C-alpha cells in the first residue's frame, strides 16, 4: 500500500499501485512500484505492512488501519482499535 506525503505528513493513504499510476498519467513507472523510490519526485511512499494488534476484546472491538508513521527509516502501517457498533453487537 502507498501513501502521499507532504512535508513529512501523510496527506493520502490507502493507495494501491494503480492509484499511484493514475495520479501521474504522463509518467512511466517500473513495475513493481514497491521497489521504486517515489518520494523525492512524487511524494509517494511505500507503506510497510504490520500485523494488527491482538491484545483487545474481539467480541466488542476490532482493528482498523490508522495513519502510517515513519519509524526505523520506513513508513509503517499502524492500527487503531475501535468498538463494534452497538447495533451489530445487539443484532
Amino acid at each position: 500500500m502507498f501513501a502521499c506525503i507532504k512535508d513529512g505528513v501523510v496527506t493520502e493513504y490507502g493507495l494501491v499501485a494503480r492509484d499511484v499510476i493514475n495520479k501521474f498519467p504522463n509518467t512511466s513507472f517500473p513495475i513493481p512500484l514497491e521497489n521504486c523510490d517515489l518520494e523525492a519526485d512524487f511524494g509517494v511512499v511505500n507503506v510497510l505492512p504490520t500485523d494488527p494488534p491482538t491484545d483487545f476484546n474481539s467480541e466488542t472491538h476490532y482493528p482498523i488501519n490508522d495513519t502510517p508513521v515513519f519509524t526505523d527509516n520506513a513508513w509503517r502501517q499502524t492500527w487503531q482499535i475501535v468498538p463494534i457498533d452497538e447495533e451489530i453487537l445487539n443484532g
Side-chain angles (χ1 to χ4, degrees):
M1 198 159 301
F2 297 91
C4 294
I5 308 295
K6 183 171 182 167
D7 299 324
V9 176
V10 175
T11 59
E12 189 174 0
Y13 175 55
L15 303 170
V16 295
R18 176 61 46 202
D19 297 326
V20 174
I21 291 167
N22 288 342
K23 282 179 84 61
F24 305 97
N26 296 323
T27 304
S28 294
F29 292 103
I31 302 296
L33 285 182
E34 290 77 7
N35 298 333
C36 300
D37 181 2
L38 304 172
E39 187 170 10
D41 292 332
F42 303 100
V44 174
V45 296
N46 183 35
V47 177
L48 300 178
T50 62
D51 291 329
T54 57
D55 58 342
F56 63 92
N57 183 343
S58 62
E59 292 181 14
T60 59
H61 291 76
Y62 65 101
I64 61 170
N65 273 315
D66 205 351
T67 304
V69 297
F70 189 78
T71 183
D72 297 327
N73 293 318
W75 286 93
R76 299 178 190 280
Q77 179 183 29
T78 63
W79 298 91
Q80 180 180 10
I81 305 303
V82 297
I84 297 173
D85 188 283
E86 285 292 323
E87 289 180 14
I88 294 171
L89 285 175
N90 299 326

